[in-house]
Amino acid sequence: MEGIPQRPKHTAELLQEILQRTQALPNEGAVANYIPALAKVDPNHLGIAVAELDGKVHIAGDAQIPFSIQSISKIFGLTLAMERVGDQLWNRVRMEPSGHAFNSIVQLEWEHGIPRNPFINAGAIVVADTLVSHYSSSRAALTQFIRNLAQNPIIFVDEVVWESEREHGARNAALAYLMKSFNNIEANVVDVLDHYFYQCAISMSCVDLARSLGFLANRGVQPGTGEVICDPRSTRRINAMMSTSGMYDQSGEFAFTVGLPAKGGVGGGLVAVVPDYGVICAWSPKLNSYGNSYRGMFMIRQVAEELGLSVYS
Ligand code: DON
């Protein structure tokens, strides 16, 4: 009927429309600058990709430009560690929302060096410790794991970002040494931090990220290759923790407004898992005060609403 906007027929058209809607909004927030190398990114980048389980990938905007995945790397590290060490991991890191910033230290002392969950920095550092302790080269193992998931052999680490993380990683070092004092770090702290900084500095595009995380929407089986990455119990657990803690102190709001397991990083990337459908990844570098991408959240919310994707509906 005239005057009533027609809903786009195809996901690709929908993504283009959402991109345009997003470009029309003020580009609010600020690029992460506590790691100087991250501050150099063009704040106007905007991209989105949807990878469906049948192999279709829909894109709009800067979806094929690699960016610093930062905390989204915590999903890859966690998956690898869960497969490698099994349930022992849960003696060293819990699965509760923290109610604090991603890099907060206060709770860690009260709670005897056991981080609240694997998606805050302290938890990801414990996960990094298990990888360093269980692989002869944890960095090579993680890179290989990610390249294989994304089916992209040229995924790389941005050495400038890695070095910048090292130089400006005092707070992460404080978290790691505090946990070492509680005997919750086994390996050498410098090696553990080096692994953590390395994984944060991996560069991937929205397409790479959406494709690589398909197993989370598919009960552990990677779409396309059919490879079993982990068992369905693990994907249920990872998705559950992404829902409760992946967006840090904004996880409740994200569940309320979008209703999908999600994980953000201070590079401005944001991934959301839609069980039995696929993975959405959005990128826009400017962040809100929680460290989540402003326009990334807007775009994923729009996709979820238009396609009716909430897991709670
Ligand atoms: O640990 C840090 O400070 C960063 N390299 C990663 C943090 C991050 O992406 C938090 N997410 N919003």
Side-chain angles (χ1 to χ4, degrees):
M1 199 193 293
E2 214 185 332
I4 296 179
Q6 294 293 299
R7 190 176 151 174
K9 290 188 190 71
H10 301 294
T11 307
E13 286 173 41
L14 174 66
L15 295 187
Q16 277 303 337
E17 195 186 298
I18 289 172
L19 193 91
Q20 281 161 13
R21 256 181 242 163
T22 312
Q23 276 162 336
L25 299 173
N27 190 5
E28 285 181 81
V31 169
N33 61 4
Y34 72 103
I35 300 164
L38 288 182
K40 296 193 177 125
V41 70
D42 175 354
N44 296 314
H45 279 303
L46 187 67
I48 186 160
V50 173
E52 295 180 11
L53 297 185
D54 63 4
K56 283 195 211 90
V57 180
H58 309 285
I59 63 170
D62 298 329
Q64 296 183 86
I65 298 178
F67 59 88
S68 193
I69 68 169
Q70 293 293 314
S71 283
I72 299 173
S73 67
K74 290 169 179 164
I75 304 173
F76 298 117
L78 175 63
T79 307
L80 201 57
M82 282 169 76
E83 289 315 288
R84 191 72 188 214
V85 304
D87 282 351
Q88 287 169 34
L89 184 63
W90 308 111
N91 297 328
R92 299 181 52 195
V93 57
R94 298 171 64 211
M95 62 294 284
E96 299 297 339
S98 73
H100 291 273
F102 65 86
N103 56 2
S104 171
I105 200 166
V106 282
Q107 201 167 41
L108 199 57
E109 164 124 53
W110 301 330
E111 300 189 354
H112 312 289
I114 308 291
R116 277 289 175 110
N117 67 70
F119 292 140
I120 53 173
N121 285 11
I125 291 168
V126 167
V127 169
D129 179 48
T130 67
L131 296 176
V132 169
S133 305
H134 285 84
Y135 284 96
S136 54
S137 172
S138 60
R139 299 198 299 265
L142 189 71
T143 311
Q144 189 46 44
F145 182 60
I146 293 174
R147 285 179 178 163
N148 182 45
L149 287 174
Q151 292 289 290
N152 180 357
I154 59 166
I155 284 170
F156 63 98
V157 165
D158 184 326
E159 303 268 346
V160 177
V161 173
W162 187 16
E163 185 53 38
S164 195
E165 300 259 2
R166 268 201 215 99
E167 274 176 37
H168 300 272
R171 180 172 280 264
N172 285 317
L175 293 168
Y177 280 107
L178 183 60
M179 291 190 288
K180 184 83 172 170
S181 77
F182 284 107
N183 296 318
N184 198 19
I185 295 290
E186 287 168 4
N188 177 291
V189 168
V190 174
D191 295 341
V192 173
L193 288 170
D194 218 34
H195 175 104
Y196 174 74
F197 296 143
Y198 174 93
Q199 70 173 48
C200 291
I202 291 172
S203 290
M204 294 172 76
S205 67
C206 290
V207 171
D208 289 328
L209 281 164
R211 293 186 66 199
S212 64
L213 293 170
F215 69 97
L216 289 178
N218 198 36
R219 297 175 174 79
V221 177
Q222 189 65 334
T225 64
E227 189 181 346
V228 176
I229 306 302
C230 57
D231 63 23
R233 187 179 76 150
S234 297
T235 60
R236 275 199 301 277
R237 289 177 164 192
I238 296 167
N239 288 332
M241 289 184 293
M242 284 170 68
S243 297
T244 53
S245 308
M247 300 294 283
Y248 305 115
D249 232 5
Q250 210 174 11
S251 299
E253 182 190 324
F254 197 82
F256 186 86
T257 56
V258 181
L260 293 172
K263 182 80 204 79
V266 294
L270 175 53
V271 294
V273 175
V274 190
D276 300 324
Y277 171 79
V279 178
I280 312 168
C281 179
W283 174 44
S284 170
K286 284 193 170 182
L287 310 176
N288 63 22
S289 58
Y290 299 97
N292 293 319
S293 169
Y294 251 115
R295 297 194 301 177
M297 284 180 67
F298 176 80
M299 285 195 289
I300 289 186
R301 179 176 174 176
Q302 298 272 309
V303 176
E305 276 177 3
E306 300 253 1
L307 297 179
L309 299 178
S310 169
V311 296
Y312 302 112
S313 50

